[in-house]
């Protein structure tokens, strides 16, 4: 494990084994209902079987999970890619779907936000990527998460992206790897 901001340790996370703990962090950080958590449990477990999928956690001294990130090499056949591809094609940026590492989820418990934990998680997971770029989606509003992504070199590739069942529009963002450092 590697030391991180806020007195946490960043290291590999067996997300399949700790999915419920990770989803509790996500539920608090992102405001998910119990029904949404149940749906995401299935999605996370399925994602972790994809080739190249990996996860990192931010752990407290007693081993509790304070934040996590996971991602995988993009595959145009995956659901997320099929949803965002028309939006990216419309902006002439659909080439970003090829040879990209997707940040699928990044969440930090609110009690640990604002201390560089999210930055440490996303930079460490992308530093291990063999792909030349990273892509992700984030709620399309000015938020601390979007400011973090911009500070790392992510730019908007498409905005007002609508995912089925999501109430709010998203932005798809991309950055060359390695990510920018302060």
């Amino acid at each position: 494990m590697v030391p991180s901001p806020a007195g946490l340790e960043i290291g590999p996370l067996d997300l399949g084994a700790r999915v419920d703990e990770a989803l509790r962090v996500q539920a608090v950080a992102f405001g998910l209902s119990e029904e949404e958590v149940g749906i995401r449990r299935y999605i996370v477990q399925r994602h972790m079987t994809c080739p190249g999928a990996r996860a990192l956690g931010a752990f407290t001294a007693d081993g509790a999970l304070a934040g996590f990130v996971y991602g995988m090499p993009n595959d145009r056949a995956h659901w997320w890619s099929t949803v965002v591809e028309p939006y990216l094609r419309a902006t002439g940026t659909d080439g970003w779907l090829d040879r990209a590492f997707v940040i699928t989820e990044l969440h930090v418990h609110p009690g640990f936000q604002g201390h560089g934990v999210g930055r440490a998680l996303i930079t460490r997971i992308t530093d291990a990527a063999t792909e030349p770029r990273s892509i992700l989606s984030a709620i399309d509003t000015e938020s601390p998460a979007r400011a973090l992504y911009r500070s790392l070199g992510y730019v908007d590739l498409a905005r007002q992206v609508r995912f089925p069942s999501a109430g709010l529009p998203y932005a798809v963002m991309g950055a060359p790897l390695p990510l920018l450092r302060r």
Side-chain angles (χ1 to χ4, degrees):
M1 297 246 195
V2 178
S4 140
L8 302 174
E9 297 288 327
I10 302 287
L13 170 63
D14 181 349
L15 190 53
R18 295 184 76 169
V19 66
D20 291 326
E21 186 179 5
L23 289 174
R24 280 193 299 275
V25 170
Q26 185 176 359
V28 171
F30 208 59
L32 299 179
S33 69
E34 281 302 314
E35 181 181 348
E36 290 169 313
V37 167
I39 292 167
R40 288 176 188 253
R41 180 179 297 108
Y42 167 77
I43 293 168
V44 169
Q45 290 172 327
R46 183 171 39 87
H47 281 161
M48 294 314 295
T49 66
C50 294
R54 58 187 180 279
L56 295 175
F59 303 92
T60 63
D62 64 358
L65 193 62
F68 73 99
V69 63
Y70 84 92
M72 65 193 86
N74 192 52
D75 181 333
R76 281 184 180 251
H78 288 164
W79 176 84
W80 182 85
S81 288
T82 65
V83 173
V84 304
E85 191 272 335
Y87 294 93
L88 295 176
R89 190 174 350 101
T91 63
T93 58
D94 59 307
W96 277 82
L97 292 171
D98 301 318
R99 298 179 51 228
F101 186 80
V102 179
I103 300 299
T104 308
E105 299 287 351
L106 169 63
H107 299 285
V108 177
H109 188 283
F112 293 94
Q113 291 176 3
H115 300 286
V117 178
R119 178 181 300 277
L121 286 166
I122 195 170
T123 57
R124 290 184 191 169
I125 200 165
T126 57
D127 281 352
T130 58
E131 296 77 15
R133 59 184 153 257
S134 173
I135 54 177
L136 56 79
S137 54
I139 294 175
D140 193 2
T141 186
E142 293 311 310
S143 65
R146 297 254 302 172
L148 168 65
Y149 301 145
R150 283 192 195 96
S151 76
L152 294 166
Y154 285 90
V155 297
D156 291 340
L157 302 174
R159 298 196 58 196
Q160 297 297 302
V161 174
R162 295 286 179 171
F163 288 100
S165 78
L168 298 171
Y170 280 70
V172 176
M173 302 177 79
L177 295 179
L179 296 176
L180 296 177
R181 300 308 201 262
R182 291 184 211 206

